[in-house]
Amino acid sequence: MKPPRQAAALRDIRSLMRPHLVTAEPYEGVEPPEVLAQQAGIPEERLVKLNGNENPYGPSPKVAAALGRYRRYHLYPDPQQRHLRQMLAEYAGTSPDRVVAGAGSDELIDLLLRLFVGPGEGVIDCPPTFAMYATFIHLLGARLVLAPRDEAFGLDLRGIEEGARRGAKLVFVASPNNPTGNTTSEGTVRRLLELGLVVVVDEAYFEFTNQTVAPLVPHHANLVVLRTFSKWAGLAGLRLGYGIMDPTVAERLLAIKAPYNVNLAAEVAVEASLEDRDLLMSRVKAIVQARDQLREELARIPGVATFPSTANFLLCRMPHGKGRWVYQELARRGIFVRDFNTPLLQDCFRTSVGLPEENQALVKGLESIFEQGG
Ligand SMILES: Cc1ncc(COP(=O)(O)O)c(C=O)c1O
């Protein structure tokens, strides 16, 4: 006779899974171009992909050349990330013992939670914000403590204080915040640091704002700043993020991460990107200018409201009850934005700032949608 556990497993393998993961909702990542093009029934070349806050100019041309030249892909990367951490530290104006790299900053969000938070312990999330925080908190079996932002998307300091008082171990603050585009001031971050919990300031869009709290890191062991090469350097597909933190935290993250978490192609691409910093920053500047122009043009369309943004995307609100419809009409025209329409972001979508012609396609698309039936 089979032992009962095995018999149950044969009936339903889910009975062997951790109960909270049997029903866990996946993070809704952005679909790749070929899937979107198929959905819209158009060739990929006609797709206007504005749903991922990706860099429309792509990586520096030096990246492809360096990847082609590199000869050591058959070897494992350095588990201590020595060369990579050195390069990142120089770029960020800090020392290598304060830097850890991840397969995207996503991986560092997960690792930080695993380092500081146990199942059932509280983590403060400030919605509307980057949904990966809540996803990882849930996967860990930790407790999601919500401190929703106010109408202007500023932080609810009282709510965060209350969460900390009740024992929450960590708070995530994206600055600029995704999807709202606003930043959190250094003064506010200083107040959070005084609460004694771990404060993770996610500066994924730093290069678009030039506002950072990284200089506070040497004075506060409970501050971690996250950055990425996905946005300013156009390396989203190669997955390279990094954190700036207290050396003790860095040492522990290096100890608990998978040994070869960052692949060698990403490391080669970082080196080539840093060598081509001027070109990449001139593109960042172009994106910032295009963002402000796009905002002006969208504001001229009756019914469309936009929020100020310091990043490479804009949050837009459609007339009451029309958000979903506008999203679908845009998609039908091959224009893909990120649909939110949650209670905190009713009738909203977020659009990346694309190439000038992509931004024009969005403006024209919205104009035609509202002429037709707005
Ligand atoms: C606030 C924020 N943090 C982190 C990330 C993830 O970045 P990465 O590609 O480095 O994992 C994003 C991506 O959209 C983001 O908006």
Side-chain angles (χ1 to χ4, degrees):
M1 228 177 77
K2 290 188 184 88
R5 201 157 168 241
Q6 197 180 343
L10 288 180
R11 265 202 314 278
D12 185 354
I13 187 65
R14 284 174 296 197
S15 66
L16 293 184
M17 295 176 188
R18 297 177 66 197
H20 77 286
L21 297 186
V22 171
T23 51
E25 293 287 333
Y27 174 80
E28 252 186 69
V30 286
E31 299 284 13
E34 63 275 16
V35 173
L36 296 176
Q38 203 185 8
Q39 273 175 25
I42 55 171
E44 242 179 271
E45 312 77 74
R46 280 194 38 220
L47 186 72
V48 179
K49 186 178 184 307
L50 298 172
N51 61 354
N53 293 352
E54 292 144 334
N55 189 319
Y57 295 98
S60 146
K62 293 197 173 169
V63 167
L67 288 172
R69 272 196 313 271
Y70 191 71
R71 288 288 166 263
R72 290 202 204 154
Y73 292 119
H74 60 299
L75 302 179
Y76 286 108
D78 173 7
Q80 286 294 314
Q81 309 174 335
R82 290 174 188 84
H83 179 51
L84 186 54
R85 288 165 61 218
Q86 179 74 43
M87 290 190 290
L88 293 170
E90 265 170 40
Y91 172 62
T94 186
S95 54
D97 63 340
R98 293 186 176 281
V99 173
V100 178
S105 41
D106 282 350
E107 187 189 19
L108 294 164
I109 294 167
D110 186 26
L111 282 172
L112 284 164
L113 283 169
R114 287 204 256 156
L115 181 61
F116 287 108
V117 184
E121 290 188 315
V123 182
I124 303 173
D125 189 39
C126 309
T129 191
F130 185 43
M132 280 308 299
Y133 310 139
T135 301
F136 280 133
I137 293 166
H138 185 62
L139 293 181
L140 194 67
R143 195 163 39 85
L144 184 65
V145 178
L146 293 176
R149 290 164 180 264
D150 62 24
E151 280 202 346
F153 304 125
L155 292 184
D156 170 16
L157 276 176
R158 286 240 180 97
I160 297 173
E161 271 161 22
E162 177 64 13
R165 211 175 48 74
R166 289 170 179 237
K169 302 270 301 276
L170 187 148
V171 59
F172 285 109
V173 177
S175 180
N177 186 40
N178 174 11
T180 60
N182 59 314
T183 55
T184 295
S185 72
E186 183 180 312
T188 301
V189 172
R190 283 180 186 275
R191 283 185 61 185
L192 296 180
L193 288 167
E194 281 164 20
L195 300 176
L197 74 181
V198 179
V199 180
V200 179
V201 179
D202 183 345
E203 297 183 353
Y205 303 93
F206 159 67
E207 282 78 2
F208 298 91
T209 64
N210 229 5
Q211 183 184 319
T212 178
V213 291
L216 301 185
V217 170
H219 311 286
H220 299 272
N222 58 335
L223 173 62
V224 178
V225 173
L226 295 182
R227 303 259 186 89
T228 180
F229 274 58
S230 293
K231 313 297 177 180
W232 75 281
L235 296 185
L238 282 176
R239 315 301 301 126
L240 195 288
Y242 64 102
I244 307 167
M245 64 201 83
D246 183 86
T248 309
V249 178
E251 185 271 327
R252 283 294 86 199
L253 282 188
L254 287 169
I256 68 167
K257 73 174 182 60
Y260 315 118
N261 63 325
V262 176
N263 69 73
L264 281 170
E267 180 172 331
V268 170
V270 163
E271 186 157 15
S273 301
L274 291 176
E275 280 166 13
D276 213 4
R277 217 176 297 183
D278 290 347
L279 173 88
L280 292 171
M281 285 312 291
S282 70
R283 291 173 173 182
V284 164
K285 210 169 144 195
I287 292 168
V288 166
Q289 279 170 0
R291 174 195 71 207
D292 294 342
Q293 191 185 335
L294 177 61
R295 185 161 185 240
E296 274 176 32
E297 290 182 29
L298 292 174
R300 282 192 217 118
I301 305 173
V304 175
T306 59
F307 295 89
S309 169
T310 58
N312 65 343
F313 56 83
L314 285 169
L315 184 68
C316 308
R317 179 165 270 149
M318 300 301 110
H320 183 68
K322 296 251 160 103
R324 185 78 207 156
W325 171 73
V326 173
Y327 169 80
Q328 284 165 342
E329 284 295 312
L330 283 172
R332 222 166 49 79
R333 291 162 168 80
I335 302 167
F336 286 87
V337 293
R338 185 84 159 167
D339 177 30
F340 283 98
N341 216 7
T342 56
L344 292 173
L345 291 176
Q346 236 176 11
D347 294 308
C348 287
F349 68 74
R350 184 198 69 201
T351 178
S352 320
V353 177
L355 296 170
E357 58 271 25
E358 294 176 313
N359 301 333
Q360 276 318 300
L362 174 66
V363 172
K364 293 269 168 304
L366 285 170
E367 281 171 351
S368 82
I369 290 166
F370 283 109
E371 272 162 26
Q372 161 205 321

